[in-house]
Amino acid sequence: MFKMNFSKKLIMAAATTAVLATPAMAADDKVYKLKLAETWPTNFPVFGDATKNMAALAEKMSNGRLKITIDSKNKHKAPLGVFDMVRSGQYDMGHSASYYWKGKVPNTLYFTTMPFGMTAPEQYGWFYYGGGQELMDEVYGKFNLMSFPGGNTGNQMGGWFQKEINSLDDLKGLKMRIPGFAGEVLAKLGAKPTNIPAGELYTALERRTIDALEWVGPSLDLRMGFHKIAPYYYTGWHEPATELQFLINKKKFERLPADLQQILKTAMRTAAYDMYIQSYHASAENWASMKTEFPDIQVKSFPNEVIDAMRKANDELLAEKAAADPLAKKILDSQAEYLKKARAWTDISDRAYLNSLSK
Amino acid sequence: MFKMNFSKKLIMAAATTAVLATPAMAADDKVYKLKLAETWPTNFPVFGDATKNMAALAEKMSNGRLKITIDSKNKHKAPLGVFDMVRSGQYDMGHSASYYWKGKVPNTLYFTTMPFGMTAPEQYGWFYYGGGQELMDEVYGKFNLMSFPGGNTGNQMGGWFQKEINSLDDLKGLKMRIPGFAGEVLAKLGAKPTNIPAGELYTALERRTIDALEWVGPSLDLRMGFHKIAPYYYTGWHEPATELQFLINKKKFERLPADLQQILKTAMRTAAYDMYIQSYHASAENWASMKTEFPDIQVKSFPNEVIDAMRKANDELLAEKAAADPLAKKILDSQAEYLKKARAWTDISDRAYLNSLSK
């Protein structure tokens, strides 16, 4: 406990009150309307709450001068078109995830989460105090876009498995729904990553069309029902701190008066942090529900042999990316350096604390 | 990875632009001036940045209509008088820590951090989604005060020790600077908690007037220099998520127009989150510096026997408080229930992840 020494001198501080003083700068009374396209369906839990929270904060703080309407994918029909729609100005803002654009702009991959990468507080440290935001600006600035952290899911689970993974051999031929970069890592080890539409996942896992799948974690897995049909829930390795993103068309942003720019930036920043905490809360609640209803769910971690091989495959894939593109190298080096320092601290703080209480 | 299915339909979303529309509500152009008293000295790192960050955000977002001036303890001379000065209206706002008021209002103890309690994301979950803020409102509302989270230090270290703690016997007679409730816990186990002014701590530890001390963690310990004179740095148990507080005089707050109320609340919330991340960053950076300069620092965790005895002593002290006061019981029950759920999630997410990478 840090404690200030209590000076016993009489309190002589000047009295003060909330008083009316000189008139403020002439305010711009115009109403600015912005339209936001989100990648998610209407009323999607947690992710969709982040956009609603942000828009409500902006409207209240601006006394109605900043009105943001939100179109879900049900309306705009282009969940993975958000980058292009904001870039072109068809929408002023977007809410999505940076790694969805890696096929279009490879260096967007690094601003969501990385296998074996930083946890949420580590990654927020990198974004806000360790140069991450500046690197994201560099990647997105070329496209007339601004990108900001848009809410964190927290550590994602490794997924639901029908059979135990006890060795590297158990990965060979494993049919798993695991999209994106993590799928590439597993493919290097002989697994067969597949992509299956969300609506068909439950049946595919139940009928053993696939052996395993990953989705998010208890916050969003509960409603999918996978815990009813798969006995093993593996702890995470591939998305330790999935950060969504707010996208803004730069020209549209620059047309806003300075106070509304600051209101918008602060509303996004608060909504992002809030989503991290809401995700934590929802995962805690939903995990308790799952365990109550299905007490036999077995939580497993991959054995060292598997973790080591996945790390090696991951390192190799990243080395290829760094070798091919100087900006990719710059970003990856920045992340690796930050992770090293931040993890040394995490290990002697939260990890040591949590371990000391679970012996 | 959660991934939306990509509909290939042509993008038909309505075009939109940032346009000028109908005039907004008549804005209140008056300038509101608030004075804030902080417990810290002028330009105190991290803690003091939280108040400056909050005030700057409020001023920018309000286009200068909300001006908050900050008096440090060097000015008001009453670091532990903040509660009274804000309650009386001498100051409109304060920045301090709730547990400083436990001698005056015992139930304020529970809104900073508790030994063996929640980590920062767990505790923010409790504050914002688990009923913690409402309980804090109940405690502070009786005093014409509003209290909000004011920034988290992250997990605090157990402190600097001149000798190793290998058993409960090593605590007997241990002279340690550890104020507050954690000191009471240690006293039950035979240690001799002492309080020594900050400016004398270094010399006291160097000359072995005391055997050990705790301060905060690398973020603020580095400048104190304890790492130069004590070989052992113990991991934390007593302050897993120290949350500072913003205090506001309720009547003063209610005089603000609705938009400025929201701006102030959002500025405080963002500054609190930011301080958590800044603390994380500063601890990571400073721990790296300490280790580079003094590679022989030994990080230790207390043995199970000691942890178990401290937990038991802590539980007994809390049971006494719960038995003596129904509101204390309500708060402690709420925290215990939330901790149980949240920790079950932390254990299978961040803890499992971190452990899998440090084998």
Side-chain angles (χ1 to χ4, degrees):
Chain A
M1 181 197 277
F2 172 83
K3 191 157 187 175
M4 302 305 302
N5 304 312
F6 188 9
S7 159
K8 293 217 171 197
K9 288 181 190 170
L10 281 177
I11 295 161
M12 296 294 288
T16 178
T17 33
V19 291
L20 313 182
T22 52
M25 308 291 152
D28 173 349
D29 276 347
K30 290 159 193 156
V31 174
Y32 290 81
K33 293 187 175 177
L34 300 177
K35 288 194 78 168
L36 180 148
E38 63 184 4
T39 291
W40 337 114
T42 305
N43 290 325
F44 194 68
V46 189
F47 295 18
D49 293 333
T51 53
K52 291 189 186 80
N53 183 14
M54 184 278 297
L57 285 173
E59 181 153 353
K60 283 184 201 164
M61 290 196 286
S62 69
N63 199 29
R65 291 162 55 222
L66 189 52
K67 287 190 191 294
I68 299 165
T69 53
I70 299 160
D71 284 355
S72 74
K73 77 154 186 165
N74 305 52
K75 177 84 180 283
H76 58 68
K77 311 290 189 197
L80 298 184
V82 169
F83 181 102
D84 286 333
M85 293 191 295
V86 179
R87 182 185 179 188
S88 71
Q90 187 179 357
Y91 278 89
D92 308 299
M93 298 181 68
H95 191 242
S96 193
S98 189
Y99 60 15
Y100 292 157
W101 325 126
K102 76 184 172 79
K104 188 185 303 281
V105 184
N107 288 333
T108 57
L109 171 65
Y110 310 113
F111 301 101
T112 306
T113 185
M114 296 301 291
F116 304 110
M118 294 177 269
T119 63
E122 293 168 351
Q123 188 170 268
Y124 277 123
W126 178 69
F127 271 123
Y128 294 142
Y129 299 93
Q133 179 67 56
E134 290 76 7
L135 290 165
M136 186 153 66
D137 292 345
E138 194 171 339
V139 169
Y140 281 90
K142 294 169 189 158
F143 302 95
N144 184 35
L145 287 168
M146 301 165 80
S147 172
F148 300 98
N152 204 290
T153 66
N155 214 313
Q156 298 205 2
M157 292 294 287
W160 296 95
F161 286 68
Q162 293 291 16
K163 52 186 185 183
E164 271 190 83
I165 302 298
N166 293 314
S167 71
L168 272 175
D169 278 348
D170 292 332
L171 289 184
K172 302 274 189 289
L174 183 88
K175 282 176 292 187
M176 180 169 185
R177 183 271 178 195
I178 179 166
F181 185 70
E184 291 179 46
V185 173
L186 279 191
K188 277 188 74 125
L189 302 178
K192 304 288 178 209
T194 62
N195 210 344
I196 291 175
E200 298 164 26
L201 276 174
Y202 184 95
T203 306
L205 186 64
E206 188 178 30
R207 296 190 183 161
R208 313 264 171 140
T209 310
I210 53 175
D211 305 305
L213 62 80
E214 63 79 55
W215 191 244
V216 175
S219 62
L220 292 171
D221 288 10
L222 175 64
R223 65 207 297 262
M224 301 296 282
F226 305 133
H227 57 291
K228 300 175 184 172
I229 52 169
Y232 303 110
Y233 204 14
Y234 271 82
T235 63
W237 61 279
H238 65 308
E239 298 209 9
T242 310
E243 185 71 35
L244 307 183
Q245 75 175 163
F246 284 112
L247 276 172
I248 312 184
N249 181 293
K250 202 173 178 181
K251 290 210 178 88
K252 303 289 183 73
F253 181 80
E254 286 166 356
R255 284 185 207 168
L256 297 174
D259 60 338
L260 295 190
Q261 287 183 353
Q262 186 63 53
I263 281 175
L264 186 56
K265 285 169 82 168
T266 307
M268 291 188 294
R269 190 167 175 120
T270 306
Y273 281 134
D274 277 350
M275 195 192 107
Y276 169 46
I277 301 305
Q278 187 189 357
S279 295
Y280 219 96
H281 173 75
S283 284
E285 291 288 341
N286 291 0
W287 176 232
S289 297
M290 282 184 195
K291 277 194 307 182
T292 303
E293 202 187 345
F294 292 87
D296 295 336
I297 297 171
Q298 291 186 58
V299 174
K300 296 277 177 185
S301 291
F302 295 108
N304 290 355
E305 176 195 34
V306 170
I307 291 283
D308 292 346
M310 292 195 297
R311 284 184 91 161
K312 186 163 171 285
N314 183 62
D315 289 346
E316 287 166 3
L317 284 169
L318 294 183
E320 286 171 23
K321 290 180 189 295
D325 179 344
L327 182 51
K329 180 173 177 358
K330 187 172 156 189
I331 298 166
L332 287 165
D333 286 350
S334 169
Q335 290 188 327
E337 192 190 341
Y338 199 86
L339 172 55
K340 193 178 167 195
K341 279 189 200 175
R343 185 60 49 80
W345 165 239
T346 303
D347 278 344
I348 67 166
S349 58
D350 284 344
R351 187 168 80 87
Y353 174 72
L354 293 166
N355 283 341
S356 76
L357 297 190
S358 60
K359 277 166 187 162
Chain B
M1 181 197 277
F2 172 83
K3 192 156 188 176
M4 303 305 303
N5 303 312
F6 187 9
S7 159
K8 293 217 170 195
K9 288 180 191 171
L10 282 176
I11 296 162
M12 296 295 289
T16 176
T17 33
V19 291
L20 312 182
T22 52
M25 309 291 151
D28 173 350
D29 276 347
K30 291 158 190 154
V31 174
Y32 291 81
K33 294 187 175 176
L34 301 177
K35 288 195 77 168
L36 180 148
E38 62 184 6
T39 291
W40 337 115
T42 305
N43 290 326
F44 194 67
V46 189
F47 295 18
D49 292 333
T51 53
K52 292 190 186 79
N53 183 15
M54 185 278 296
L57 285 174
E59 180 151 356
K60 282 185 203 163
M61 289 197 288
S62 68
N63 199 29
R65 291 163 54 222
L66 189 52
K67 287 192 193 292
I68 299 166
T69 53
I70 299 162
D71 284 356
S72 73
K73 76 153 187 167
N74 306 51
K75 177 84 181 284
H76 59 66
K77 311 290 188 198
L80 298 184
V82 170
F83 181 101
D84 286 333
M85 294 192 293
V86 179
R87 183 185 178 188
S88 71
Q90 186 178 357
Y91 277 89
D92 308 299
M93 298 181 68
H95 191 242
S96 193
S98 188
Y99 61 14
Y100 291 156
W101 325 125
K102 75 184 174 79
K104 189 185 302 281
V105 184
N107 289 332
T108 57
L109 171 65
Y110 311 113
F111 301 101
T112 306
T113 185
M114 296 301 290
F116 303 110
M118 294 177 269
T119 63
E122 293 168 351
Q123 188 170 268
Y124 277 123
W126 179 69
F127 271 123
Y128 294 142
Y129 300 94
Q133 179 68 54
E134 290 77 6
L135 289 165
M136 186 154 65
D137 293 345
E138 195 172 337
V139 169
Y140 280 90
K142 294 169 189 159
F143 303 94
N144 183 36
L145 288 168
M146 301 165 79
S147 172
F148 299 98
N152 204 290
T153 66
N155 214 314
Q156 297 205 2
M157 291 296 286
W160 296 96
F161 286 69
Q162 293 291 15
K163 53 186 184 184
E164 270 189 84
I165 302 298
N166 293 313
S167 71
L168 272 174
D169 279 347
D170 292 331
L171 288 184
K172 302 277 188 287
L174 184 88
K175 282 175 292 185
M176 179 167 187
R177 183 271 178 195
I178 179 166
F181 185 70
E184 292 178 45
V185 173
L186 279 191
K188 277 189 72 126
L189 302 178
K192 305 287 178 210
T194 62
N195 210 346
I196 291 175
E200 297 164 27
L201 276 174
Y202 184 94
T203 306
L205 185 64
E206 190 178 30
R207 297 190 183 160
R208 313 262 173 142
T209 309
I210 53 176
D211 305 305
L213 62 80
E214 63 81 53
W215 192 243
V216 175
S219 62
L220 292 171
D221 288 8
L222 175 65
R223 66 208 295 263
M224 301 296 282
F226 305 132
H227 58 291
K228 299 174 185 172
I229 52 171
Y232 304 110
Y233 204 13
Y234 271 81
T235 63
W237 61 278
H238 65 309
E239 298 210 10
T242 310
E243 185 72 36
L244 306 182
Q245 75 175 162
F246 284 112
L247 276 172
I248 312 184
N249 181 293
K250 203 172 178 182
K251 289 210 180 87
K252 302 289 182 73
F253 181 80
E254 286 166 355
R255 284 184 207 167
L256 298 174
D259 60 337
L260 295 189
Q261 287 182 352
Q262 187 63 53
I263 280 175
L264 186 55
K265 285 170 80 169
T266 306
M268 292 188 293
R269 191 167 175 121
T270 305
Y273 281 134
D274 276 351
M275 195 192 107
Y276 170 45
I277 300 305
Q278 187 189 355
S279 296
Y280 219 97
H281 174 75
S283 284
E285 290 289 341
N286 291 0
W287 176 234
S289 297
M290 283 184 196
K291 277 194 308 183
T292 303
E293 203 187 345
F294 292 87
D296 295 335
I297 297 172
Q298 290 186 59
V299 174
K300 296 276 176 186
S301 291
F302 295 109
N304 290 355
E305 177 194 35
V306 171
I307 291 283
D308 291 346
M310 293 195 296
R311 285 184 91 162
K312 186 163 170 285
N314 183 60
D315 289 347
E316 287 166 2
L317 284 170
L318 294 182
E320 285 170 24
K321 291 180 189 294
D325 179 343
L327 182 51
K329 180 173 178 359
K330 188 173 156 187
I331 298 166
L332 286 165
D333 286 351
S334 169
Q335 290 188 328
E337 191 189 342
Y338 199 86
L339 172 56
K340 193 178 168 195
K341 279 189 199 173
R343 184 61 47 81
W345 165 239
T346 302
D347 279 343
I348 67 167
S349 57
D350 285 343
R351 187 168 80 87
Y353 174 72
L354 293 166
N355 283 340
S356 76
L357 297 189
S358 60
K359 278 165 187 164

